[in-house]
Amino acid sequence: MIFDWLMSLIALQGISDAAAFSYDAEHGGISLAEIETALAGRPSCPKLACHWAFADCGYRKGSGLCAEPRHRGRCPLPRHPLRKGGLNVAAYSLYLFIRDVCGGDVVGWIDGRLEAADSGAGEAGRAARMRAALIGPLVNVAGTGPKLWNMMLAELLLVGDPNRERWVTTGASMIAVDSLVHAFLHRTGILRRLGAEHPYGEGCYRPGGCAEVIENLARRIDAREFNPTFPATFERFVQHAIWMFCAGWGRDICNGNRVDDGQGCTQRFCPASTTCDRVPLRAPSPNGSFEM
């Protein structure tokens, strides 16, 4: 069940939710049972032997190319009608991770990783240690990265079992930095003031990047003022609030539809207008065009 749910979220990358769900409704998604059945036939491709061998499978749907072209005709991986080949690769990579690394027990693996990270190290940095204990191995699943796992695990850990304290504490600390969140921190001047300017992408999760900025910000906000059942420090809540401030179907305030990113924001009625530095998201290049 967890595999099937994770794959439904992984499939949302690079496309609108409505388009992704519509495609799966028409063509079908992929389930753990389908991959299990496919691998039961013992396909000849050495990449499918185990999680560690699967690295660099390289399958591309458009070209049909892969790292083991001699086995391509008998390989089950391309036969699933997913939207793009990268999703087929991600599905098999996730399956092999669950089978070989988690021993087929995702819940038990999460419990074990969190317990080991929480063992005798004290409260300082506790949530960060437990978060890293999960994200570190999971980003080895092909086609996934820190942003995606922070988003997915936040949902799973916060609501999967409220009686698992380590799950809730770790889920509350998950920060998903998408382009809206990064752009907000840039436009408002927060990154510039902190000397933390960087392009959107991997830098958002490096030391001093967007995730660390939000983590430090969350320590200054008592989330219980918004809901008494929340933990006092709730990084996911702060990140999600920023996202809702920007998203088109949220407050729809700080985004590319409202702001000319070559000139900077000119909105007069934004709640943050008096403290915002209105930094253009794109800087003019020597030839007169704009670049990030």
Side-chain angles (χ1 to χ4, degrees), residues 78-273:
R79 298 173 190 168
H80 306 278
L82 302 183
R83 179 172 51 85
K84 59 180 182 177
L87 294 177
N88 294 54
V89 174
Y92 273 72
S93 183
L94 179 60
Y95 172 86
L96 292 170
F97 184 94
I98 292 174
R99 188 193 72 182
D100 301 336
V101 179
C102 304
D105 181 3
V106 179
V107 172
W109 181 81
I110 292 174
D111 283 339
R113 296 288 299 182
L114 295 182
E115 182 178 3
D118 193 27
S119 180
E123 282 295 317
R126 177 176 178 248
R129 290 194 306 273
M130 293 193 291
R131 181 176 69 240
L134 298 184
I135 298 292
L138 284 168
V139 294
N140 292 305
V141 173
T144 67
K147 181 193 81 172
L148 183 61
W149 280 114
N150 272 276
M151 180 191 75
M152 296 191 297
L153 287 176
E155 294 191 34
L156 176 63
L157 298 177
L158 282 171
V159 303
D161 183 353
N163 294 318
R164 279 177 157 86
E165 184 274 334
R166 290 188 180 104
W167 283 42
V168 175
T169 297
T170 306
S173 77
M174 296 287 182
I175 299 170
V177 182
D178 69 355
S179 58
L180 285 174
V181 173
H182 170 86
F184 171 86
L185 296 176
H186 180 101
R187 290 189 186 106
T188 55
I190 292 172
L191 294 180
R192 178 175 291 182
R193 294 183 208 179
L194 297 174
E197 289 181 292
H198 59 274
Y200 172 64
E202 294 181 2
C204 294
Y205 285 95
R206 289 175 182 156
C210 295
E212 187 172 300
V213 169
I214 294 171
E215 188 173 5
N216 291 332
L217 176 61
R219 295 194 185 106
R220 301 178 176 220
I221 298 172
D222 188 343
R224 294 172 298 187
E225 295 182 8
F226 300 90
N227 187 324
T229 67
F230 285 171
T233 302
F234 197 168
E235 293 94 334
R236 173 65 172 175
F237 172 68
V238 174
Q239 170 258 299
H240 190 261
I242 294 172
W243 186 86
M244 286 293 291
F245 184 78
C246 303
W249 62 272
R251 295 291 301 276
D252 191 25
I253 294 174
C254 187
N255 58 52
N257 294 325
R258 300 290 183 182
V259 179
D260 179 348
D261 283 318
Q263 304 297 324
C265 182
T266 59
Q267 295 184 88
R268 298 168 52 199
F269 302 106
C270 170
S273 61

Side-chain angles (χ1 to χ4, degrees), residues 41-49 68 70-76:
R42 297 186 178 276
S44 61
C45 180
K47 291 289 185 184
L48 297 177
E68 295 286 345
R70 293 176 302 167
H71 302 274
R72 170 72 173 79
R74 299 182 299 278
C75 180

Side-chain angles (χ1 to χ4, degrees), residues 57-66 72 77-78 84-86 89:
C57 161
Y59 170 67
R60 295 292 180 269
K61 185 174 182 178
S63 64
L65 295 176
C66 70
R72 170 72 173 79
L77 184 149
K84 59 180 182 177
V89 174

